[in-house]
Every structure is written in C-alpha cells, then in structure tokens.
Amino acid sequence: MPDAPGPFPAPLTPGPLTPAMTMAGRCVRLSRRDGDALMTSLMLPLMLMLVFIYFFGGAIDTGTRYVNYVVPGILVLCAAFGAAGTAVRVSEDMKSGIIDRFRSLDIGGTAVIAGHVTASTLRNLLATVLVLGVGLLIGFRPSASAAGWLAAAGILLAFLVALSWFSAAVGLLARTPEAASGFTFLMMFLPYPSSAFVRIDTMPTWLHGFADHQPVTPLIESLRGLLHDQPVGSAPWLALAWCGGILAVAVVLSALLFRVRTR
C-alpha cells in the first residue's frame, strides 16, 4: 500500500528585499524604454568633456595635462546629472497615480524609492564607464593602483547613492515633473563653482569660501588624487562625511514626504 502523501510545503514568504527588487526591476525597464532620456544622460557628459578638453583646455592652465585634470570632474558632473533625473521620475510616479496601486499591493514607500535609487545608480554606473572609456581614448592616463581604483569607485558610488536618494526626496516634494526637472539644472551647476574644471585659486576671492566647502570639491579632489596616485589628505573622509550626511537626511525626508503625499 503506497505511503500517504505528506503535508504540502508551506508557501514561500517574500523577503523584506523583494518589493524593493521588484521596484528596481520596474524602474530599470522604464529607463530602457525611455531611449531619449537614456541617451541624453549618456551623451551630455561626453559632449561636455569634449567641449572642455578641445575648446577650452588649451587656454586653461592647471599645471598638468588638462584631460588628466578634468576627467574626474566630468565623472562627478555625470553622476550629478544622472542622479538628478530621479526627481523627475519619482514626481511622474506621484502624479500618475501608480503609487496608489502600489500601496494597494502593500508595497511601502521605502521600496518604491529604493527601486528608483537602484535604477538611477545603475544608469549612472553605465554613464561613468562610458565617460571613463572615452576619456582613456582621448588621452586620460590615470596611474592609480588597484587600491586607488577601488577607493575611487567606492567614493563615487557613495555619492551616486546619496544624491539619487536626495533627488528622490526632491521628486516627492515637487508637485509636478516640470518643477522637479529644475533640480537637474541645479545639480548640473554645482560642479562648476568647484575644482572640477579650473583651480579654485583662479576664481574670484569672494567665491573661494563656497567652492572650498561645498560637497563636490572634496569628492573631486579625492577622485583626482586617487586616480593619479597623489596625496589626498582628508579629502576622502570629507567626501564620505558629506555623502553620509546627505543620505541620512534624504532617507528621513523621503519617508516623511511619502507619508504626507500619500495620506
């Protein structure tokens, strides 16, 4: 006589990361379908790099080959521009009503925002690799060790995540995608009053205080020093402190704003 069948196995319970991973997959698919926005986020940093190197590079004295000086700044500009686009995508979600459908499926705000941040980080990593590859083709010659490359990648990744999360909070705050798009222009402007394209000591004196103490400057100085195997001093720690502070504020702010907007 055959054995009686045993009890059916218990259904699998989704883990805490499953909603966030699902939202991340959704955002990646949306990015892939929005070809115009994806091409803009990839091509604009490349065009700016070529403009600065070939149009202005010959007239700017940085004490070194300009391509070696400017590529770290372009990497940060690329990250800032790409991460800022998250504000528009979050605002579009809030306006379209899709968030109400997510909440009916018991998907919390943290998962929704984490999905946008993950997709933004992946897009930015792709743009960063593209900018770095073209930079190498046109003469960028880093001399970093393996440890230097890892440290530079870690600092840039921390900046990407922090800025993407802060951009998501801005998208929750903005009432329309058009208003959220203004954040993109603000983040694209921030690298200019820094050491990204020219030395700070060549700027007007009244601008030195802001340029020296804004979050982008220690990040650029860290990348430049690490990629060229030069002393970086306390710049990496300052950059990570800025990233940690921005991320902490952004996570708390986005949670509060999501609760208020979906009440």
Side-chain angles (χ1 to χ4, degrees):
M1 186 174 181
D3 295 335
F8 290 105
L12 295 176
T13 302
L17 293 180
T18 300
M21 294 172 63
T22 301
M23 291 296 99
R26 166 187 175 264
C27 294
V28 169
R29 288 191 295 273
L30 289 176
S31 296
R32 191 172 63 242
R33 293 168 185 168
D34 191 358
D36 292 341
L38 184 60
M39 286 300 296
T40 300
S41 65
L42 294 177
M43 298 306 298
L44 183 59
L46 286 178
M47 293 173 62
L48 286 173
M49 179 173 65
L50 296 176
V51 166
F52 271 95
I53 291 174
Y54 291 114
F55 291 3
F56 307 135
I60 299 176
D61 181 17
T62 59
T64 183
R65 293 182 65 230
Y66 191 64
V67 64
N68 287 331
Y69 183 89
V70 79
V71 166
I74 294 293
L75 291 176
V76 174
L77 178 65
C78 173
F81 175 72
T86 307
V88 177
R89 293 175 176 86
V90 171
S91 182
E92 288 173 345
D93 273 359
M94 299 301 297
K95 186 178 180 180
S96 68
I98 191 68
I99 299 297
D100 295 330
R101 297 182 62 185
F102 291 154
R103 287 177 62 82
S104 69
L105 298 172
D106 197 25
I107 297 176
T110 301
V112 174
I113 301 304
H116 280 287
V117 170
T118 302
S120 173
T121 302
L122 292 175
R123 286 193 306 270
N124 277 285
L125 289 175
L126 176 60
T128 298
V129 171
L130 183 61
V131 168
L132 188 59
V134 174
L136 291 171
L137 288 176
I138 62 176
F140 178 57
R141 293 296 179 264
S143 54
S145 62
W149 277 103
L150 288 175
I155 293 173
L156 188 59
L157 181 61
F159 179 70
L160 287 174
V161 173
L163 197 59
S164 295
W165 209 289
F166 185 74
S167 181
V170 173
L172 291 170
L173 184 63
R175 292 295 175 178
T176 64
E178 291 76 15
S181 67
F183 183 65
T184 303
F185 294 102
L186 174 64
M187 294 312 302
M188 280 195 64
F189 171 76
L190 195 58
Y192 287 91
S194 72
S195 61
F197 304 108
V198 298
R199 299 198 315 268
I200 292 176
D201 58 15
T202 64
M203 298 179 183
T205 305
W206 57 266
L207 191 55
H208 288 185
F210 177 77
D212 280 325
H213 298 97
Q214 62 139 312
V216 168
T217 296
L219 177 67
I220 293 171
E221 293 299 322
S222 299
L223 294 180
R224 188 174 289 134
L226 290 168
L227 292 178
H228 293 299
D229 198 20
Q230 298 171 351
V232 292
S234 61
W237 302 112
L238 288 173
L240 290 174
W242 271 110
C243 292
I246 292 171
L247 181 61
V249 171
V251 169
V252 173
L253 185 61
S254 61
L256 294 175
L257 288 172
F258 189 90
R259 192 175 305 165
V260 170
R261 290 291 305 274
T262 57
R263 182 176 297 171

